[in-house]
């Protein structure tokens, strides 16, 4: 939270106070120049309640870079040229759309409309744009849960301000595929870091499709990226004025950072350092201890380990202290992140739980068990990103006999012998089969070899006992 402004003590007689305030009142009364976007004392100063209930003003005490410069760093090429010429520009790609205004904006939370002043003449038509501020634009299923934000780049008079802020707004959605930790990190948390970290907490979030549980879950991240309370447009319903705004979040790739396209050139390493600070993680590097900790991600539904107990026994025989996680453990990231951070090895079947690898200390080992038919997905979503996370990566690809699908279809069915033919039927047909429709019975002899390799990567002898 922003540091509370030191309260001014009123010293002296009432008459002295009045003499001091009179010039301010006079200046504020005659300050308006007729511009509907001009700051005015008629607008209420934005305030919010801190943890101790004290009223705070949206103003940072630290010396900040000029806002125009901070916003400019979010755009490149023609988009930057347009921003400099008009004060407003948008960039759209396959996954997301991001609009930036370095002009004062008014956000009507009731109508979910952003008003941006135009330099055009009064006869020029207004520009209207609809943006869904979630980085999954190509997925119709996700975007059905994302409310559009209307942007009016216009010279018409906007509604009057109820609250005025002196930090920019960042508007994004907590809709889409929230509830799945991979999508939460991939489409919101990492894009938030990419878009916002260089503002050094001097910004205010406006979260559409507001989910209180999601805000609570990622409270540590939100409060380390912004020094101000978030705005829930559904409950707020007021008109808020900001000196600038970002609508949407920059997205690069699956759990990925393109350092050349990030203000400040931040990388996954910087993101992990940010997480370490936000969650008070103790370990930066994996520890060399007598019994290294192995976390086994247990699943309740598809891609379950059918011989999980036997797997745990084998892991313990190798000398690991094994933590088996259940789904309810991962909902409290404040606690769970520190548990993951204490581990030397993370083992799981391909799925969202492996996203928790971002909390592993450097040098730890991630072991992804690759189900039948999911080679590409496993390599794309986690195989490529593990190295960027600073962890060592191993794959264990199951054989047909280790998949429950063989019991249903037999050894010679195309489902077993030719997964590509199933994918040709479409994403949903393949998903129903390989993502939602199979469980795993791991060959303990083969899998033991993978864990022995993990032991060697940690710098231990093959047998820990």
């Amino acid at each position: 939270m922003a540091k509370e402004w030191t309260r001014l003590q009123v010293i002296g007689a009432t008459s002295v106070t009045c003499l001091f305030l009179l010039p301010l009142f006079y200046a504020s009364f005659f300050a308006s120049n007729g511009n509907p976007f001009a700051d005015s004392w008629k607008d209420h100063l934005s305030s919010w309640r801190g943890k101790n209930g004290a009223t705070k003003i949206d103003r940072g005490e630290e010396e900040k870079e000029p806002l125009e410069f901070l916003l400019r760093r979010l755009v490149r090429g023609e988009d930057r040229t347009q921003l400099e010429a008009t004060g407003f520009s948008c960039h759209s790609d396959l996954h997301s759309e991001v609009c930036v205004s370095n002009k004062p904006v008014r956000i009507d939370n009731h109508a979910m409309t952003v008003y941006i002043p135009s330099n055009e003449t009064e006869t020029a038509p207004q520009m209207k744009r609809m943006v869904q501020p979630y980085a999954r634009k190509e997925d119709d299923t996700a975007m059905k849960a994302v409310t559009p934000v209307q942007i009016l780049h216009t010279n018409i008079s906007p509604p009057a301000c109820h609250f005025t802020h002196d930090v920019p707004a960042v508007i994004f959605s907590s809709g889409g595929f929230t509830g799945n930790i991979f999508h939460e990190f991939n489409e919101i948390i990492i894009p938030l870091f990419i878009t916002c970290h260089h503002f050094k907490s001097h910004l205010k979030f406006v979260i559409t499709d507001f989910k209180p549980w999601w805000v609570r879950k990622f409270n540590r991240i939100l409060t380390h990226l912004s020094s101000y309370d978030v705005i829930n447009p559904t409950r707020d319903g007021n008109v808020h004025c900001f000196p600038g705004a970002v609508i949407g979040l920059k997205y690069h790739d699956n759990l990925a950072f393109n350092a050349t396209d990030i203000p400040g050139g931040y990388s996954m390493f910087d993101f992990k350092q940010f997480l370490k600070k936000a969650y008070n993680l103790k370990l930066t590097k994996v520890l060399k201890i007598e019994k290294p900790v192995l976390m086994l991600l247990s699943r309740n539904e598809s891609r379950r380990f059918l011989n999980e107990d036997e797997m745990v026994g084998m892991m313990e025989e190798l000398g690991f202290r094994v933590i088996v996680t259940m789904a309810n453990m991962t909902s409290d990231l404040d606690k769970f992140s520190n548990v993951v951070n204490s581990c030397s090895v993370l083992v799981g079947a391909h799925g969202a739980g492996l996203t928790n690898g971002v909390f592993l200390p450097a040098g730890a080992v991630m072991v992804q068990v690759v189900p039948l038919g999911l080679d590409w997905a496993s390599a794309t979503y986690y195989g490529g990103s593990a190295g960027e996370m600073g962890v060592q990566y191993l794959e264990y690809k199951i054989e047909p006999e280790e998949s429950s699908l063989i019991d249903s279809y037999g050894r010679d069915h195309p489902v077993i012998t030719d997964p590509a033919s199933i994918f040709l039927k479409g994403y949903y047909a393949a998903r129903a089969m390989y993502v939602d429709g199979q469980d795993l019975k791991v060959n303990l002899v083969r899998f033991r070899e993978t864990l022995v390799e993990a032991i060697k990567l940690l710098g231990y002898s093959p047998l820990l006992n």
Side-chain angles (χ1 to χ4, degrees), residues 5-52:
W5 283 82
T6 304
R7 299 181 183 277
L8 294 174
Q9 296 183 348
V10 179
I11 303 175
T14 303
S15 59
V16 175
T17 304
C18 292
L19 288 173
F20 174 75
L21 292 176
L22 183 59
L24 294 178
F25 175 78
Y26 182 89
S28 67
F29 185 81
F30 291 101
S32 175
N33 61 5
N35 185 338
F37 284 87
D39 290 336
S40 166
W41 279 72
K42 295 179 181 179
D43 296 325
H44 298 290
L45 285 176
S46 172
S47 63
W48 54 277
R49 293 285 174 180
K51 291 182 179 178
N52 61 0

Side-chain angles (χ1 to χ4, degrees), residues 120-317:
E120 302 296 330
T121 64
E122 292 185 2
T123 57
Q126 66 181 15
M127 189 282 291
K128 177 180 178 180
R129 191 174 189 127
M130 304 298 289
V131 174
Q132 289 178 280
Y134 182 79
R136 198 75 177 191
K137 193 175 70 173
E138 78 285 4
D139 193 303
D140 292 338
T141 301
M143 301 311 280
K144 286 178 182 178
V146 178
T147 301
V149 175
Q150 177 177 244
I151 301 174
L152 295 179
H153 191 199
T154 176
N155 55 9
I156 65 172
S157 296
C161 295
H162 297 116
F163 299 97
T164 300
H165 309 264
D166 61 4
V167 294
V170 174
I171 304 175
F172 69 94
S173 172
S174 61
F177 288 138
T178 50
N180 177 297
I181 194 170
F182 168 79
H183 292 291
E184 289 168 342
F185 269 87
N186 188 58
E187 288 127 47
I188 303 181
I189 300 303
I190 290 178
L192 266 177
F193 180 84
I194 292 171
T195 306
C196 302
H197 189 53
H198 73 291
F199 285 93
K200 298 181 179 178
S201 299
H202 298 297
L203 52 81
K204 194 172 183 73
F205 292 133
V206 179
I207 306 179
T208 65
D209 310 303
F210 192 94
K211 294 179 172 61
W213 64 265
W214 187 89
V215 173
R216 288 193 299 270
K217 179 177 181 179
F218 290 103
N219 177 63
R220 286 181 179 262
I221 287 175
L222 296 175
T223 56
H224 276 74
L225 285 174
S226 171
S227 296
Y228 309 95
D229 279 359
V230 303
I231 293 177
N232 175 1
T234 303
R235 293 191 63 180
D236 184 281
N238 293 301
V239 177
H240 290 256
C241 290
F242 295 90
V246 181
I247 303 98
L249 302 175
K250 292 179 71 67
Y251 176 87
H252 291 158
D253 205 343
N254 294 308
L255 302 179
F257 290 80
N258 177 6
T260 61
D261 190 31
I262 297 177
Y266 302 119
S267 64
M268 176 62 81
F269 174 81
D270 298 300
F271 179 63
K272 290 195 66 171
Q273 291 298 109
F274 167 79
L275 292 178
K276 185 176 187 293
K277 181 179 179 181
Y279 288 99
N280 295 317
L281 304 179
K282 301 296 186 285
L283 298 182
T284 300
K285 297 181 179 179
V286 68
L287 291 179
K288 190 77 175 291
I289 55 179
E290 184 178 354
K291 289 181 73 71
V293 180
L294 182 152
M295 176 176 285
L296 177 63
L297 299 172
S298 182
R299 298 181 60 88
N300 295 327
E301 298 177 0
S302 62
R303 286 157 285 148
R304 297 173 300 164
F305 292 123
L306 299 177
N307 57 341
E308 189 172 278
D309 291 342
E310 290 83 353
M311 292 172 64
V312 171
M314 181 263 289
M315 293 167 176
E316 291 176 339
E317 288 177 1

